[in-house]
Amino acid sequence: MYQNEEELNPEAVSDYYGKVLQHSDDLQTDACCCDSDEISAEVKAALAQVNDEVMSRFYGCGSPLPLELAGCRVLDLGCGTGRDCYVASQLVGETGFVTGVDMTGEQLEVAQRNVSSQMKRFGYEKPNVEFLSGKIEELEALGIEDASVDVVISNCVINLSSDKAKVFAEIFRVLKPGGELYFSDVFASRRVPAALKTDPVLHGECLSGAMYEEDFRRVMTSVGCPDIRVMSRRRLSIDSPEVENKVGMIGFDSVTVRAFKLEDLEDRFEDYGQIAIYQGSLEGYPHEFPLDPDHVFERNRPVLVSGNTAAMLSQSRFAKHFKVLGNREQHFGLFYADPDYAASSGHDCGCCE
Ligand SMILES: C[S@@+](CC[C@H](N)C(=O)[O-])C[C@H]1O[C@@H](n2cnc3c(N)ncnc32)[C@H](O)[C@@H]1O
């Protein structure tokens, strides 16, 4: 069963990101080479407007920037030099706001000294981004209030924490009802032995703190979120023979995950006969909307969906783009769709769980 990992040392992490690494190329895995397929056109355009100094110390492993961020309050956990904050700053626009939190002074200094030139580059009159020094396990100490955030993002950080249960509890405390956690991180194909956790390079390289995915699912269930959706997955290749030798047969994947803060999520897909219809109204997505790779909704096509999917589409910021018909008054059993039906109708298929 999942346990907190006091043997992971936060001071060693700060040292690694503040002093040992100076540049993205110093990493010993290909973690920060994101798949360009994972990056939407809007995010690519926004990345082109991020200053070189910020980009040169990007240590993320994915692109945790979901659709429909205009006007949102976004919180980036472990923001580093602020690459994703500056992308989010453009996506939320002047009516939204982005807060980045990190515990490493050297990383935050870079983020902070780029604020005014980035705001000028985006054409904003006043900053819509702030950077706070602190721990992602202690968001309350930073004054981040209950139910105050629309979207929490994070890029290759939570694996580094020695108290992951606390991080997820804090995330679900600060999210508004219907809010979203959308993050990229390194996950392990099996539990990493305790002996590897004290190795500062394996820890700093985001390997030895990586969560076994089934334990991640368990910790999410414990904070009230039993349905997580995997948006993308990429196997990491380890460039150092020494590191490779130490990790042995453990496989490490960079995974981007989405999860919503909703009251009534269930641990299986259940069928209440609900129907979702995408209105085609999301800017840049006139033909289809991808909730996740198994749930892609064509404009105007009615799709039978599980109770969980109906909740995600009707109680989140995506609600204005969907008509969701029906409720949970009548239950028809475990969600099932004939594979042929699923293939032709938008893929909401209980058998894909
Ligand atoms: C792999 S880097 C990723 C940085 C950034 N997200 C990016 O994509 O470039 C990890 C960052 O998380 C920060 N970090 C790790 N553990 C943390 C914690 N418990 N609280 C706050 N920051 C943390 C480190 O200081 C470092 O800047």
Side-chain angles (χ1 to χ4, degrees):
M1 181 51 191
Y2 174 77
Q3 289 175 337
N4 284 331
E5 302 152 303
E6 286 80 16
E7 58 274 73
L8 294 174
N9 177 0
E11 283 77 40
V13 170
S14 267
D15 202 56
Y16 203 71
Y17 287 97
K19 301 193 171 65
V20 178
L21 301 180
Q22 294 301 320
H23 192 274
S24 310
D25 293 343
D26 298 338
L27 286 168
Q28 298 188 33
T29 71
D30 67 345
C32 66
C33 312
C34 310
D35 260 348
S36 70
D37 289 359
E38 199 195 329
I39 305 179
S40 67
E42 302 88 315
V43 171
K44 280 181 187 151
L47 275 170
Q49 300 302 317
V50 178
N51 292 349
D52 290 346
E53 186 188 26
V54 170
M55 294 295 285
S56 73
R57 289 179 70 161
F58 167 63
Y59 303 126
C61 59
S63 179
L65 280 311
L67 300 175
E68 187 71 351
L69 287 181
C72 283
R73 165 109 201 263
V74 172
L75 173 65
D76 182 4
L77 300 182
C79 60
T81 56
R83 185 193 89 144
D84 292 335
C85 288
Y86 287 122
V87 171
S89 155
Q90 297 171 74
L91 301 177
V92 301
E94 284 192 277
T95 59
F97 198 81
V98 182
T99 301
V101 172
D102 205 285
M103 66 177 183
T104 301
E106 291 88 342
Q107 294 273 82
L108 278 180
E109 254 169 53
V110 175
Q112 196 66 56
R113 75 166 162 262
N114 280 274
V115 173
S116 59
S117 65
Q118 288 283 198
M119 294 303 112
K120 207 166 155 197
R121 207 166 163 185
F122 305 157
Y124 293 169
E125 275 186 11
K126 62 178 178 38
N128 71 345
V129 59
E130 67 176 356
F131 294 101
L132 305 178
S133 173
K135 295 202 168 161
I136 61 172
E137 297 83 357
E138 295 165 11
L139 300 176
E140 200 160 12
L142 296 173
I144 303 177
E145 290 175 3
D146 294 4
S148 61
V149 174
D150 296 294
V151 180
V152 172
I153 62 171
S154 184
N155 202 343
C156 216
V157 177
I158 300 175
N159 74 84
L160 295 164
S161 170
S162 57
D163 193 348
K164 295 173 175 69
K166 183 88 191 294
V167 174
F168 289 110
E170 276 294 84
I171 291 169
F172 278 78
R173 178 184 69 77
V174 303
L175 277 176
K176 295 178 186 173
E180 182 177 20
L181 165 63
Y182 195 103
F183 79 110
S184 303
D185 212 337
V186 177
F187 288 88
S189 61
R190 51 181 87 176
R191 291 178 182 139
V192 177
L196 297 185
K197 294 190 186 286
T198 49
D199 183 312
V201 174
L202 291 190
H203 184 203
E205 289 286 325
C206 300
L207 300 177
S208 59
M211 275 180 285
Y212 168 50
E213 268 184 74
E214 291 305 311
D215 287 338
F216 166 57
R217 192 179 53 72
R218 290 182 181 107
V219 78
M220 290 294 281
T221 300
S222 77
V223 295
C225 186
D227 184 351
I228 48 184
R229 305 284 170 99
V230 170
M231 304 303 289
S232 65
R233 175 186 299 279
R234 175 173 60 93
R235 181 51 56 105
L236 295 191
S237 78
I238 296 170
D239 303 333
S240 149
E242 200 190 335
V243 171
E244 200 172 23
N245 194 29
K246 284 181 187 168
V247 300
M249 299 304 289
I250 309 169
F252 293 96
D253 285 351
S254 163
V255 183
T256 297
V257 168
R258 112 178 305 165
F260 293 89
K261 179 177 172 175
L262 294 167
E263 287 282 302
D264 45 8
L265 291 179
E266 299 177 279
D267 61 352
R268 299 291 301 268
F269 288 0
E270 297 291 344
D271 186 356
Y272 299 92
Q274 289 167 288
I275 301 280
I277 307 165
Y278 175 48
Q279 308 294 285
S281 46
L282 202 127
E283 208 185 318
Y285 293 79
H287 306 301
E288 58 177 27
F289 170 82
L291 178 66
D292 64 56
D294 292 325
H295 298 83
V296 180
F297 295 87
E298 195 181 329
R299 178 173 158 261
N300 287 342
R301 182 193 280 272
V303 179
L304 186 63
V305 292
S306 65
N308 282 359
T309 298
M312 290 174 190
L313 298 176
S314 61
Q315 296 171 40
S316 69
R317 67 190 189 285
F318 298 117
K320 56 182 172 292
H321 301 295
F322 278 85
K323 251 191 214 145
V324 177
L325 310 177
N327 54 39
R328 292 196 184 187
E329 259 169 36
Q330 191 174 353
H331 181 226
F332 298 98
L334 197 60
F335 188 91
Y336 172 78
D338 181 283
D340 292 340
Y341 171 80
S344 65
S345 70
H347 324 286
D348 194 282
C349 168
C351 56
C352 301
E353 278 187 290

